[in-house]
Amino acid sequence: MAQFTLEELPVLPLAETFALTAAYNADSFPDKVNLGQGVYRDEACRPWVLPSVRAAEEVLHNQNANHEYLPITGDKQFNDKARELMFSPKLAKNPNIRTVQTVAGTGANNLAALFCAHHIKPKNVFISDPTWDNHYLIWKTAGPEITQKLYPYYNASARSFDFDGMIAALEAGEENDVVVLHPCAHNPTGFDPSQEQWKKIAEVIGRKRLFVVFDSAYQGFASGDPDADAWAIRYFYSTFFGALSDSQTNPPTGMLVCQSFSKNFGLYGERIGALHLISPQSVAAEGAYTHLIRLIRAVISCPSLFGARVVNTILSDADLTAQWGEDVKTMALRIQGVRASLRAELEKINIKGDWSHIEQQIGMFSYTGLSKAQVERLKDVHHIYMLGNGRMSLSGLNESNVGYVARAIKDVVDHE
């Protein structure tokens, strides 16, 4: 057997989002525009600390709290509040929902993939095409033996949601296969199923007895209404698991919900998230819950403290919760306004094609339909940075630069 040396390992490229941010930061052009990184920015394109978060920080500063380790499962009060936010206070009391704190949404997704690989042992995992690029890496790392199957999600010619393609792909699933779903503000396309379409998706998943993993990164941020943004998750839960009985003859074999507080609380660097495990029966949830705990112990031992305290402080106080509700509306409305402004600017300068999809989408991103070559020209000629697949982070736009960006897009469209 040949001796292994570290020198044999090839140099891997930096993840695209981080490489793009590094290139933007190194660019000295005064009118450069960052439309790549998925973080909220205010009208001046500056980082925004939510007023509710700032108020919670003041409360915590005056508590003279310690910095001891959390339990392996995280802060119990935070977990309770996270579960109530996701499922509603009433549903959150059901014993077949178990919650652990995670290292943001990425950690929740990684823990979900590890759990499925170790214990569900699916033959396939169905992931939307396109999706958040880290989904592919997470599942490849956690379960290299699991085949990744991409279900159609985006119709490029119509610039719309490919519902029929998604359904046809899921019909090919086998029992215990995993399907990863975005409950709102699909990343990167910004297209979400309607409630009637969600019901059909649920019917197929239940009939095929697939295992569901929801990745919820934008609750409240998408529409400004946390309850509306959780509709799909609550529908799946109530339809298949809410009765805590055997009334469902063929429910999905289980469900995991990954919950991030990065976007909707602006706690990007605090890495705060939760993972909710749902079993058809409360007794079955207990054993699975202990296996989640074992995985956490092996990977991080216990989660981080400060961000969990911030979220818990906000959601435990009626006034701060109300303020947070206004904060997410502020973010959602600004993004909606930017969408309208960009579309109006594009149409004002008579750009080729139909750009109505920009306003039909929802959430932080617009899947513009621009090609990789067009995106490269935007960067090289106009110093506008966005992902190669044409995904634009709308929070990088404001009244000062939206006209410049629209003219640059027209240039790259006309150039081909």
Side-chain angles (χ1 to χ4, degrees):
M1 180 181 294
Q3 184 178 4
F4 169 79
T5 63
L6 289 174
E7 289 80 3
E8 296 175 12
L9 293 174
V11 175
L12 297 176
L14 189 64
E16 183 183 9
T17 303
F18 292 89
L20 197 68
T21 299
Y24 170 83
N25 290 336
D27 190 340
S28 61
F29 186 70
D31 296 322
K32 63 184 179 179
V33 183
N34 187 357
L35 305 179
Q37 195 169 21
V39 293
Y40 179 79
R41 293 291 183 256
D42 65 13
E43 174 58 26
C45 291
R46 296 173 302 197
W48 188 56
V49 178
L50 278 61
S52 56
V53 169
R54 189 64 83 200
E57 289 173 340
E58 289 295 323
V59 171
L60 292 170
H61 176 72
N62 294 321
Q63 286 182 350
N64 195 29
N66 61 47
H67 299 280
E68 294 295 299
Y69 287 123
L70 284 173
I72 296 175
T73 55
D75 183 289
K76 182 182 184 305
Q77 290 179 309
F78 163 81
N79 287 343
D80 290 345
K81 291 300 179 182
R83 191 166 56 250
E84 289 177 4
L85 181 65
M86 181 57 67
F87 293 94
S88 81
K90 181 180 178 180
L91 294 179
K93 293 183 174 67
N94 288 345
N96 67 337
I97 308 176
R98 303 298 177 95
T99 302
V100 295
Q101 185 182 332
T102 63
V103 183
T106 299
N109 275 273
N110 187 59
L111 185 59
L114 284 171
F115 179 84
C116 290
H118 283 239
H119 304 296
I120 307 302
K121 300 186 185 303
K123 180 180 178 182
N124 306 295
V125 55
F126 287 84
I127 301 173
S128 69
D129 181 20
T131 192
W132 176 48
D133 61 353
N134 213 14
H135 281 146
Y136 306 126
L137 180 59
I138 286 170
W139 280 90
K140 181 179 180 179
T141 303
E145 74 286 353
I146 302 171
T147 299
Q148 293 188 22
K149 291 194 173 181
L150 305 184
Y151 60 83
Y153 195 89
Y154 179 71
N155 184 322
S157 60
R159 294 182 177 178
S160 64
F161 170 45
D162 188 357
F163 173 67
D164 292 337
M166 177 181 181
I167 291 297
L170 294 183
E171 287 284 4
E174 302 176 27
E175 184 170 341
N176 281 347
D177 278 353
V178 172
V179 55
V180 178
L181 301 171
H182 303 228
C184 68
H186 181 273
N187 180 5
T189 70
F191 286 113
D192 292 340
S194 67
Q195 290 187 3
E196 288 306 309
Q197 289 171 331
W198 272 122
K199 291 177 182 178
K200 176 60 179 177
I201 293 167
E203 185 276 322
V204 173
I205 286 173
R207 174 164 45 80
K208 302 296 292 188
R209 300 214 70 211
L210 307 181
F211 191 97
V212 181
V213 175
F214 273 109
D215 183 9
S216 177
Y218 299 96
Q219 186 186 3
F221 187 108
S223 69
D225 183 347
D227 293 324
D229 293 343
W231 186 89
I233 290 171
R234 295 177 186 180
Y235 176 79
F236 269 66
Y237 178 81
S238 297
T239 299
F240 296 119
F241 308 108
L244 289 177
S245 69
D246 294 325
S247 59
Q248 289 289 334
T249 54
N250 284 306
T253 49
M255 188 165 84
L256 287 163
V257 177
C258 307
Q259 183 180 18
S260 172
F261 293 86
S262 295
K263 307 297 194 298
N264 55 1
F265 280 76
L267 294 170
Y268 303 99
E270 301 301 336
R271 316 309 294 141
I272 301 302
L275 180 65
H276 309 282
L277 168 69
I278 297 95
S279 170
Q281 296 291 335
S282 59
V283 174
E286 181 62 29
Y289 178 63
T290 63
H291 285 273
L292 274 182
I293 294 172
R294 190 168 185 265
L295 287 171
I296 295 169
R297 173 60 173 157
V299 176
I300 62 170
S301 192
C302 64
S304 55
L305 182 60
F306 181 71
R309 282 176 169 167
V310 171
V311 173
N312 180 54
T313 299
I314 292 171
L315 297 181
S316 298
D317 181 279
D319 291 338
L320 289 180
T321 300
Q323 177 62 61
W324 175 72
E326 293 303 312
D327 294 344
V328 292
K329 287 178 184 176
T330 294
M331 293 189 288
L333 288 173
R334 182 176 120 67
I335 296 299
Q336 291 168 18
V338 165
R339 287 185 181 280
S341 296
L342 178 58
R343 179 185 176 185
E345 289 289 336
L346 290 168
E347 292 176 348
K348 184 170 69 175
I349 58 179
N350 296 315
I351 191 171
K352 290 188 296 186
D354 181 3
W355 293 82
S356 61
H357 62 281
I358 291 175
E359 279 197 281
Q360 294 166 2
Q361 298 162 349
I362 190 172
M364 181 177 285
F365 305 117
S366 174
Y367 209 55
T368 59
L370 296 174
S371 68
K372 186 174 181 62
Q374 290 170 330
V375 170
E376 283 295 313
R377 182 172 172 83
L378 278 177
K379 175 172 67 70
D380 296 341
V381 176
H382 301 284
H383 304 265
I384 295 171
Y385 293 76
M386 54 193 288
L387 294 189
N389 62 8
R391 190 199 79 174
M392 174 190 295
S393 180
L394 291 157
S395 67
L397 293 176
N398 60 16
E399 289 184 3
S400 299
N401 65 24
V402 67
Y404 172 70
V405 170
R407 292 189 296 274
I409 292 174
K410 185 177 188 303
D411 169 70
V412 303
V413 170
D414 290 344
H415 184 74
E416 284 201 340

